[in-house]
Amino acid sequence: MRSFSLTIVLSAVAVSAHTIFQQVYVNGKSPGHLVGIRAPDYDGPIYDVTSSDIICNGGPNPLKRISKEVINATAGDTITTEWHHTLDGAKPGDKSDPIDPGHLGPTMAYMARIDNALSPKVTGLKWFKIFEDGMDANKQWGVSRMYKAGGKFSFKLPSCIPAGQYLLRAELIALHGAGSLKGAQFYMECAQLNVRGGGRANPPTVSFPGAYKQDDPGVVFNLYYPTPTAYKIPGPTVFKC
Ligand SMILES: *[C@@H]1O[C@H](CO)[C@@H](O)[C@H](O)[C@H]1NC(C)=O
Ligand SMILES: [Cu+2]
């Protein structure tokens, strides 16, 4: 009986060690914590890929920190996203910051054009993927690289995309429970961007919800047994100019 309740306590600790994308850097410089981001104040995941909460979070994690600022960047710039266990930011003593280290899976980034990056409506947008980092040949995961980098992962804005307003959707998937249907944990927030420069590319797009199926091989996935030898990241291929 005692070990049963201990198990419940331990798993309660583990499941709360989630993460929130909460700061953007453009070529290494940040306009500030939560600036230009739509963040919840609770760090829980989304499980249902058919829900519109998969777009920019919300639903069970109400977006309570919606920035009124738009981040300026130029096509081709390097964007860094920074994630932490809570909205308090980096906590060096917290092993679950930026995320529980057992929350292994891929990191990704998508963009969608939008007339006004401050518009609350996120349904109906057309998304293209600009970054993904799954499991490498040494079986190390994108999330582990983000963990070791203190909660950061980086990518370039494609140099050929048209100037204008965009939402940036940064995402990670934790696969520790993904052996069963609806067990994968999706973490994402959206940042508001104004992109200058660029070109006239018209990248192929996908919709959210729609880009993922609940039974995609990268969404139902056993992280532990048999030991994975490959991982297929969900969603479209990364757009290249
Ligand atoms: C982006 O540029 C506009 C126009 O110069 C400015 O008003 C705005 O504050 C800038 N955004 C940020 C986050 O610095
Ligand atoms: Cu979690």
Side-chain angles (χ1 to χ4, degrees), residues 208-225:
F208 280 106
Y212 305 158
K213 299 271 179 296
Q214 206 73 56
D215 61 353
D216 277 347
V219 174
V220 176
F221 183 81
N222 197 315
L223 188 56
Y224 308 106
Y225 187 83

Side-chain angles (χ1 to χ4, degrees), residues 14-97:
V15 296
S16 62
H18 312 303
T19 194
I20 304 174
F21 159 43
Q22 54 193 263
Q23 190 153 354
V24 173
Y25 299 74
V26 180
N27 296 332
K29 241 188 117 193
S30 176
H33 184 237
L34 290 169
V35 172
I37 301 182
R38 307 174 179 201
D41 58 12
Y42 181 66
D43 59 353
I46 301 297
Y47 293 95
D48 182 356
V49 303
T50 68
S51 147
S52 52
D53 305 333
I54 200 81
I55 310 171
C56 290
N57 213 322
N61 315 312
L63 299 178
K64 295 200 175 154
R65 310 294 190 93
I66 300 183
S67 175
K68 293 193 172 68
E69 295 196 70
V70 178
I71 298 164
N72 301 299
T74 301
D77 279 353
T78 296
I79 301 291
T80 301
T81 66
E82 183 170 354
W83 301 64
H84 287 293
H85 181 188
T86 71
L87 285 186
D88 293 339
K91 279 207 189 131
D94 176 5
K95 281 205 169 53
S96 293
D97 176 60

